[in-house]
Amino acid sequence: MNNLGSWAAVRLIAGREITVRLASRAFRVLTIVMVVIVVGLCVALKLFAGTSSGTHVGYLPADAAIARELPAVGTSIGQQITVQAVTDQNTGQQQVRDGGLDALLVGNTDGTIGVVVKKNIDGGLQDAINLLARQVTLNQQITQLHGDPAAVLAQAGRASAHVTPLEPPYPYQTQQLILGIIAGVLIYISLMLNGQIVAQGVVEEKSSRVVELLLATIRPWQLMAGKVAGIGLVGLIQILIIGIAGIAAGLATKVLTISASAAVGTVVWLIVWYLLGFFMYAVVFAGLGALVSRQEDVGGATAPALMFLIIGYVLGISILPSDPASHLMEVLSIIPMFAPTVMPMRLAMGGVAPWEAVVSVGLVVALIPLLIWLAARIYRNAVLRTGARVKLRQALRAA
């Protein structure tokens, strides 16, 4: 190895990490489990959507006229309602008890439509029936005034509001929001797991004194760079498998109805931000891991860096679903420490100005060399020290 060039040594260390990690049972099991979860979620959403057949309402022969209006009224407010006739009230009530009907209309008196339910009435159905009762009452009043209810309703149906937005609306869609959250979750989990693996690997080599043998032939930065690159590529393979499987399952089951190009764009940004986030955090984890000699101390050593990762993720999944245009999230998505988890969510949702994406990526790219220099200094000065935890200030000051 003495004759190896700098990057040849890095490639050798990275190749060893890739071989070991890919061959590990933990990697295979975790990857399979996450793929099964993502694909299973798509199938479950498809089955759940397929079993929804709307609300079934029965009516007596005397109420046929108003019952026939109920499906159209329900459609106007986003409710799927089907109606069917029953011979008498007792038969209809028995069907409600047995679950064959969700409700039974029992007449219209003084602007009130009677409804029989088993226990509670669905909120959407109640809104539809209330709207129907108002429409029936309005028709009666128009008729008493010798007007034509159909003509009045047609005229009213053509009335609309003219909306003038002061700013262009964001093109958010529910599915894009879900994709954004999933992207953030995948990146968060991958960075947490693989970042900790980097730190634990450093401590394992340090505590077993293997690092002393390795550093007799290669430089500390080569060992650190090879370890980070190898584990990063393994994580990339894993997140690619999960992301592609999830998108393919979503499109195949038609749970995702967005365009294939939008889905591919989400996967591309997922890869970009995983790589940026991993290399930014992994070099820090490698440096901080070199400060301790026991696996039990890894969590405490890496906690300061993990806090930035956790804060960005928690704020993202907490705020973006209810407020996709949050100014706080816009700012955090540009700050390098929070960008790897927040920006992928916003990009998948849409509505991100091109300059925001460029600035966010540019700041992370600019910060990575500084972090590499800083982590390499800590790693070089602390990795050969065993026993008590090395203080960060000492590692930075050591020659």
Side-chain angles (χ1 to χ4, degrees), residues 72-371:
V73 172
T75 301
S76 69
I77 59 173
Q79 297 293 318
Q80 182 182 354
I81 301 174
T82 58
V83 295
Q84 66 183 65
V86 296
T87 55
D88 56 66
Q89 185 168 339
N90 290 334
T91 301
Q93 289 180 349
Q94 187 59 47
Q95 290 186 33
V96 171
R97 288 193 187 95
D98 297 339
L101 293 175
D102 296 300
L104 173 67
L105 300 182
V106 293
N108 173 39
T109 305
D110 298 328
T112 301
I113 298 177
V115 186
V116 176
V117 296
K118 186 173 183 178
K119 288 186 178 180
N120 299 312
I121 187 171
D122 176 74
L125 176 60
Q126 184 168 11
D127 291 340
I129 293 176
N130 287 340
L131 183 59
L132 177 62
R134 296 188 188 104
Q135 182 174 312
V136 170
T137 301
L138 178 61
N139 289 346
Q140 292 172 348
Q141 293 296 321
I142 293 172
T143 301
Q144 290 176 7
L145 295 173
H146 307 291
D148 182 0
V152 173
L153 291 176
Q155 184 67 26
R158 289 192 290 270
S160 63
H162 178 70
V163 179
T164 304
L166 296 178
E167 296 181 5
Y170 287 104
Y172 296 130
Q173 297 179 10
T174 302
Q175 291 195 358
Q176 288 178 298
L177 177 60
I178 294 173
L179 275 179
I181 298 301
I182 292 175
V185 170
L186 283 177
I187 286 181
Y188 171 73
I189 293 175
S190 188
L191 292 183
M192 285 284 288
L193 291 177
N194 292 299
Q196 288 291 81
I197 287 174
V198 170
Q200 291 167 358
V202 170
V203 175
E204 181 182 358
E205 292 174 350
K206 180 177 178 179
S207 59
S208 65
R209 314 303 287 266
V210 172
V211 69
E212 296 179 9
L213 298 176
L214 293 173
L215 293 182
T217 54
I218 61 175
R219 297 177 180 177
W221 75 265
Q222 294 171 332
L223 178 58
M224 186 188 76
K227 182 173 289 293
V228 169
I231 295 175
L233 288 175
V234 172
L236 176 61
I237 293 171
Q238 186 178 61
I239 205 169
L240 267 174
I241 294 172
I242 297 168
I244 292 174
I247 294 296
L251 294 175
T253 58
K254 299 190 184 303
V255 169
L256 290 177
T257 56
I258 61 174
S259 65
S261 60
V264 171
T266 299
V267 173
V268 170
W269 277 117
L270 183 68
I271 295 170
V272 169
W273 277 107
Y274 165 75
L275 290 173
L276 291 175
F278 176 80
F279 286 112
M280 184 174 68
Y281 275 102
V283 293
V284 175
F285 287 153
L288 295 178
L291 297 175
V292 297
S293 302
R294 301 186 308 165
Q295 294 289 352
E296 296 85 350
D297 298 329
V298 172
T302 58
L306 283 175
M307 286 305 298
F308 289 105
L309 186 61
I310 294 172
I311 289 173
Y313 167 72
V314 171
L315 289 178
I317 64 171
S318 300
I319 296 176
L320 286 174
S322 59
D323 186 12
S326 168
H327 292 301
L328 173 61
M329 291 297 99
E330 290 178 357
V331 173
L332 290 182
S333 66
I334 295 177
I335 299 176
M337 290 78 72
F338 306 109
T341 51
V342 178
M343 184 55 85
M345 298 186 196
R346 294 189 60 222
L347 286 167
M349 290 160 48
V352 178
W355 71 266
E356 292 182 78
V358 171
V359 170
S360 184
V361 170
L363 289 177
V364 173
V365 170
L367 181 62
I368 287 176
L370 176 61
L371 292 177

